[in-house]
Amino acid sequence: GSRGVRGERWAGRRWVSMVGLRPPPVLRAPPGVRGVRGGPRGGTGSVLLFPGQGSQAVGMGRGLLRFPAARELYRAAAAVLGYDLLDLCLRGPPAQLARTVHCQPALFVASLAAVEKLRHRQPEAVENCVAAAGFSVGEFAALVFAGAMDFSEGLYAVKVRAEAMQAASQAVPSGMLSVLGRHQTKYHLACSEAREHCLTLGIQDPVCQVANFLFPDCRVIAGHLEALQFLQKNASRFHFRRTRPLPVSGAFHTRLMEPAQEPLADVLAKTEIRKPLIAVHSNVDGQRYHQPKHVRQLLVKQVVAPVKWEQIMHAIYERRKGTDFPQTFEVGPGQQLGSILRSCNLQAWKSYGHVDVMEDGEAEDGVEHGEGGSP
């Protein structure tokens, strides 16, 4: 009803003025798109998950080139970014693609281009989408998909965010450590001891904190490199089963990213933001957005706040016993969010599918499915 009309009214207005091309379908409210109160109900509809940094790989986008709407997004991206993003994604080199300044825009565009592949192959999955969530930079793609921002303005905000986060990460030797723990693991105690260790080394105001809540007994800890090295050396004492440094340049989602907040706040203040047409859940608190002002506030806060992904999974998939789960599609490179979903909610994962951006034709419908078969 009115949501669809509203979507058609705003769709692509800024996009056309900035890029000078016809707005691709992803910028319009999908036919029949509807908001839900409190997340999807009763197995109706679908959920889209948008991946974050670390999922990138050279070759991403190759599986999308036969879809005109996807190619159009890459053409528009080149105009916004000032360089050929598709060429970087297809050919690399890997070290350049992995740089935060390139990686975040690449994931944003690849994910929304993957939506166009899904729309072509299984239009009902897009038309009946009731909720979306994105991990870190993926949240921007989820909001664009949900009609809260135009594509080009969302991409420009991601560009500014990526540049500011890379600059902040270069200021301090820092990183992120994936930690698989046990039931008795005390993450905050471990971080506190790591900060104390840093103080003995003469590091002032050290940072070491949980930056991502992934699934039960799995966290990502971020902070000064010396703190992370201390945690690795003392893993058994803290009841860590496994630790793995992540291939990122800094301590994202900690206060070491505070210098990145002001540039992002400035660009978002000039960006037209609308209420999402479907439920989009915030990384900061796991709740769905209700007001445009909250989108601005929480996207800025997200840079320095832990990603509460496990809480988002509970918010989206919590339901009465015996109730069907929605179809879930991970749109973008990798299947990391699917793996996390499996660890958070095995029954929901059985209706999971992945829209591949690397190749085009693994499955007849272009979607690889979880154990539960075709969603």
Side-chain angles (χ1 to χ4, degrees):
S2 62
R3 287 183 179 275
V5 172
R6 174 173 172 261
E8 290 299 328
R9 189 168 69 246
W10 57 255
R13 190 170 62 243
R14 280 298 168 83
W15 198 93
V16 172
S17 66
M18 285 186 69
V19 183
L21 298 174
R22 182 182 62 82
V26 75
L27 303 181
R28 305 191 191 108
V33 78
R34 55 191 182 278
V36 287
R37 304 199 182 280
R41 292 191 290 268
T44 58
S46 60
V47 174
L48 297 194
L49 302 179
F50 295 80
Q53 202 165 340
S55 302
Q56 73 279 355
V58 172
M60 62 191 244
R62 190 184 300 119
L64 308 172
L65 296 179
R66 59 176 292 213
F67 304 99
R71 291 199 306 273
E72 202 161 332
L73 287 178
Y74 279 103
R75 283 197 295 271
V80 173
L81 298 171
Y83 61 89
D84 190 339
L85 179 68
L86 181 59
D87 185 71
L88 178 62
C89 290
L90 294 178
R91 297 179 178 83
Q96 282 298 313
L97 181 60
R99 293 184 71 214
T100 297
V101 288
H102 297 137
C103 181
Q104 292 189 16
L107 288 165
F108 173 90
V109 178
S111 291
L112 290 170
V115 170
E116 293 306 326
K117 178 177 181 175
L118 180 62
R119 191 195 302 274
H120 181 84
R121 295 287 177 85
Q122 293 181 233
E124 71 284 354
V126 176
E127 292 163 9
N128 299 326
C129 183
V130 292
F135 197 101
S136 192
V137 70
E139 188 167 342
F140 286 79
L143 286 162
V144 168
F145 169 72
M149 284 186 274
D150 293 340
F151 173 83
S152 60
E153 290 196 305
L155 177 57
Y156 186 72
V158 166
K159 176 180 183 286
V160 170
R161 177 186 189 265
E163 291 167 352
M165 289 176 72
Q166 178 150 323
S169 67
Q170 289 169 346
V172 179
S174 57
M176 305 183 80
L177 184 72
S178 176
V179 176
L180 188 62
R182 305 177 191 276
H183 183 66
Q184 67 268 39
T185 303
K186 292 182 172 58
Y187 298 95
H188 292 290
L189 176 64
C191 289
S192 177
E193 290 199 23
R195 290 193 297 270
E196 289 291 328
H197 170 72
C198 287
L199 287 172
T200 68
L201 299 177
I203 297 172
Q204 294 186 334
D205 201 18
V207 172
C208 184
Q209 66 181 74
V210 174
N212 302 163
F213 294 84
L214 298 184
F215 55 87
D217 298 328
C218 188
R219 307 280 185 270
V220 173
I221 294 174
H224 283 85
L225 283 182
E226 294 85 350
L228 303 184
Q229 290 160 0
F230 173 83
L231 293 178
Q232 287 180 280
K233 284 179 186 172
N234 294 275
S236 58
R237 182 155 69 87
F238 296 126
H239 304 288
F240 294 165
R241 280 191 285 165
R242 190 174 73 234
T243 62
R244 181 174 63 89
L246 298 184
V248 295
S249 59
F252 302 149
H253 305 290
T254 73
R255 57 186 173 81
L256 289 177
M257 290 294 112
E258 282 177 358
Q261 286 188 287
E262 190 176 337
L264 179 58
D266 287 347
V267 73
L268 289 175
K270 300 165 189 167
T271 302
E272 184 184 353
I273 297 179
R274 298 161 292 269
K275 182 180 177 180
L277 298 174
I278 58 171
V280 177
H281 291 259
S282 165
N283 283 196
V284 172
D285 59 13
Q287 303 299 309
R288 70 174 287 191
Y289 287 111
H290 289 288
Q291 300 295 333
K293 68 177 182 180
H294 295 147
V295 174
R296 282 193 183 87
Q297 291 167 356
L298 293 182
L299 285 179
V300 173
K301 188 176 181 181
Q302 189 227 67
V303 174
V304 298
V307 174
K308 295 187 175 177
W309 193 256
E310 183 181 344
Q311 293 85 331
I312 290 174
M313 294 298 94
H314 289 309
I316 291 178
Y317 295 103
E318 191 174 22
R319 62 204 56 242
R320 291 189 303 275
K321 192 173 182 180
T323 307
D324 290 338
F325 285 92
Q327 298 179 335
T328 296
F329 297 92
E330 183 169 356
V331 283
Q335 299 183 55
Q336 294 180 9
L337 300 184
S339 297
I340 294 171
L341 176 59
R342 184 177 185 177
S343 297
C344 286
N345 192 319
L346 182 61
Q347 292 305 311
W349 174 79
K350 289 180 178 178
S351 295
Y352 162 90
H354 170 241
V355 183
D356 191 15
V357 303
M358 304 293 288
E359 303 294 341
D360 180 40
E362 287 76 3
E364 198 169 306
D365 57 4
V367 178
E368 296 181 67
H369 300 292
E371 247 176 33
S374 180

